[in-house]
Amino acid sequence: MEQYRPEDEYRKRPGTLRIIGCILRPEGGFGGYLLVPTYSPPADLPFEMIETENRIYITAGLPPENMLKSAPYARIERERVAIVVNEHETWIPLPTRINVFHSNYTVRNGVMDILCRKPVFFTL
């Protein structure tokens, strides 16, 4: 008899979203989360992108530390993000423009989390 394992659930449903390590916070009150998968990962670096009303979250799995030649980092631009691992760049086009100055990334436990904030427009 086959044992059910929750971590294998995403393999049964191709095309579904599997979050690696990004923490999402609710935006705008009691409505909960709005998760919209916008891009599928390329073969060279596994990553996932989720777009909400005000932010774009990118989560990338990094190689083990013993395979790294230098510290991985992200280069965040207005319309795209580059994840640089071992001097190899993986460019990710963004679905909308972002505010570069209020965007950042963290690297912890083999996972890179990138938070891109969308521009805020006020109307009177």
Side-chain angles (χ1 to χ4, degrees):
M1 185 165 131
E2 185 178 350
Q3 183 179 3
Y4 173 76
R5 296 185 321 190
E7 61 269 13
D8 291 335
E9 184 65 28
Y10 74 93
R11 291 187 187 117
K12 295 179 183 177
R13 293 179 281 150
T16 59
L17 182 67
R18 181 178 59 98
I19 298 173
I20 296 173
C22 193
I23 298 173
L24 301 179
R25 296 182 180 98
E27 295 181 3
F30 302 104
Y33 301 101
L34 174 65
L35 303 180
V36 180
T38 58
Y39 199 79
S40 60
D44 61 339
L45 181 69
F47 74 89
E48 296 163 350
M49 183 186 311
I50 299 171
E51 181 178 7
T52 66
E53 185 179 339
N54 298 324
R55 296 176 180 92
I56 299 171
Y57 298 94
I58 302 172
T59 302
L62 301 174
E65 281 191 41
N66 59 354
M67 296 180 67
L68 295 176
K69 298 174 186 171
S70 61
Y73 64 94
R75 185 176 313 130
I76 301 172
E77 296 181 1
R78 193 161 172 85
E79 296 177 348
R80 62 187 185 162
V81 172
I83 299 174
V84 183
V85 177
N86 292 337
E87 307 307 320
H88 174 74
E89 296 180 345
T90 299
W91 285 97
I92 304 169
L94 298 173
T96 60
R97 290 184 169 200
I98 61 164
N99 185 334
V100 176
F101 298 109
H102 292 110
S103 301
N104 58 45
Y105 72 94
T106 59
V107 177
R108 268 186 246 132
N109 301 323
V111 175
M112 179 181 289
D113 287 323
I114 304 170
L115 169 66
C116 302
R117 294 190 187 260
K118 294 181 181 179
V120 177
F121 301 103
F122 296 101
T123 57
L124 299 174

